[in-house]
Amino acid sequence: MRGGAGLPVAWFAGGLAVLVAAVLLGVCAGAASLSTADIVRHLLSLLPFDTRSPLSERQAALLMELRLPRVVMGAVVGALLATAGGAYQGVFRNPLADPYLLGAASGAGLGATMVIVFGQQFSDSPRALVPVAAFLGALLGVAAAYLLGSTAGGGGTASLVLAGVAVSSFLSAAQTLVQQMGVDQLQRIFAWLLGGLGRGGWDDVRLIAPYAVVGLVVLLACGYLLDMLSLGDDKAVSLGLNPAVVRVVVISAASLATAAAVSVSGLIGFVGIIVPHIVRRLVGSSYRAILPVTVLFGGAFMVVVDIVARTLIAPAELPIGVVTAFLGAPFFVLILRTTRHRSI
């Protein structure tokens, strides 16, 4: 069954159910056991109903101040990275385009690191500048990778990937240089570079919420335009579309989404490749369908990966970036072998 805008309603409903299940599993998982029924009853008790919470004061604090904000932030970060990856793949017509491989994540990392190290010199609240600096860095990384791949390498799949690797390496080197200028911040920076959600809270959710909403709304609104771009620039122009304007809008929105995610979670790779490709297999090639379903599956994917990261070697915790790398590296090789320079 499909909606009028080309959205597979069944898959959207399925994605929503998977996301809700992942969120409930995420708030239940941990050393202190909380049942799903008790969590639901506690959340209902916060509404204007005559419902009594079954949780103790300590359990309620654990749920509301630690687990729930972490799970919500994981869902938001996953949705942002996955949707940005799907949008990059559509706008570049390249199945390997991804925030991590295109230099967007490295650029966002450089911008955020510069604020962490030098921000106190320019602002009384440098933390609020992190998403802005990350956005500018992400735009720089994507623009450099795209220009290098299209001018020096001919614009093919392999050229864009190699250009992204080169740009990412350069930006990572610049980031290392900045790190050495702020030795007292090294522990914080290294923890951030490996990717994770353990440091976040409701303040981080509120910090990135405006950027996340703008980025996702613009990308979802551009689904039809990406479908037109997939027909080729000449066909898109004949249909009244300006491909250059669409690319600027989509790249800017995808970079904003990437920057918002990176600014609170650190560098988490491969989400933008794994989730959109799985969704594409499920719903077809229309970006009007791919992007909304990717939002839901991306959020669920990150919540589940975070559960693995914090329970696999408990009481220690794996960085999320390590888990996604283990999953993403073989997936990337599979995509590389199956596409063989074909466009999406």
Side-chain angles (χ1 to χ4, degrees):
M1 177 175 160
R2 291 181 179 269
L7 174 63
V9 176
W11 280 116
F12 185 84
L16 186 60
V18 169
L19 177 59
V20 171
V23 168
L24 288 175
L25 181 61
V27 294
C28 290
S33 178
L34 297 176
S35 71
T36 303
D38 287 347
I39 289 171
V40 172
R41 287 172 59 192
H42 176 78
L43 294 177
L44 289 176
S45 73
L46 302 178
L47 300 175
F49 300 126
D50 187 17
T51 304
R52 184 176 180 180
S53 172
L55 300 181
S56 66
E57 184 176 342
R58 180 180 177 183
Q59 289 175 321
L62 171 68
L63 172 66
M64 301 304 297
E65 300 302 325
L66 294 177
R67 290 190 184 174
L68 192 58
R70 178 170 182 153
V71 169
V72 170
M73 191 165 70
V76 173
V77 167
L80 291 171
L81 292 176
T83 309
Y88 281 135
Q89 290 158 23
V91 78
F92 292 125
R93 285 185 285 169
N94 189 314
L96 298 177
D98 165 77
Y100 196 75
L101 295 175
L102 279 179
S106 298
L110 174 59
T113 302
M114 292 182 70
V115 171
I116 292 173
V117 174
F118 302 119
Q120 199 65 48
Q121 303 176 20
F122 304 101
S123 173
D124 294 332
S125 57
R127 188 164 167 271
L129 298 177
V130 171
V132 178
F135 172 58
L136 296 176
L139 281 181
L140 173 65
V142 173
Y146 180 66
L147 290 175
L148 181 60
S150 59
T151 56
T157 297
S159 299
L160 185 59
V161 171
L162 291 174
V165 170
V167 170
S168 295
S169 298
F170 178 82
L171 294 175
S172 296
Q175 188 174 27
T176 301
L177 177 62
V178 173
Q179 288 171 207
Q180 299 308 310
M181 298 179 183
V183 179
D184 55 330
Q185 298 282 358
L186 277 182
Q187 184 176 359
R188 179 184 174 192
I189 293 171
F190 279 131
W192 179 83
L193 287 175
L194 292 173
L197 303 171
R199 303 174 304 280
W202 290 119
D203 287 343
D204 290 298
V205 175
R206 285 189 288 268
L207 177 66
I208 68 168
Y211 307 99
V213 170
V214 171
L216 289 178
V217 167
V218 172
L219 290 178
L220 293 176
C222 289
Y224 176 70
L225 302 180
L226 289 173
D227 285 344
M228 294 175 67
L229 273 186
S230 68
L231 302 174
D233 284 7
D234 292 340
K235 182 66 174 178
V237 169
S238 70
L239 294 173
L241 187 71
N242 188 327
V245 173
V246 173
R247 287 194 176 94
V248 168
V249 172
V250 173
I251 291 172
S252 298
S255 299
L256 179 62
T258 300
V262 167
S263 67
V264 294
S265 70
L267 299 181
I268 301 175
F270 297 105
V271 180
I273 285 185
I274 296 174
V275 178
H277 276 284
I278 292 175
V279 170
R280 189 176 289 107
R281 298 283 184 179
L282 299 176
V283 306
S285 60
S286 172
Y287 284 94
R288 287 176 290 172
I290 290 171
L291 296 182
V293 178
T294 294
V295 171
L296 300 174
F297 277 92
F301 174 81
M302 185 58 70
V303 172
V304 172
V305 168
D306 182 50
I307 294 172
V308 173
R310 58 190 167 97
T311 60
L312 189 62
I313 57 172
E317 183 175 322
L318 277 173
I320 292 182
V322 172
V323 180
T324 58
F326 273 120
L327 297 173
F331 195 91
F332 175 80
V333 173
L334 177 64
I335 296 298
L336 186 62
R337 292 188 60 176
T338 55
T339 55
R340 295 182 181 180
H341 306 292
R342 291 179 301 160
S343 60
I344 296 175

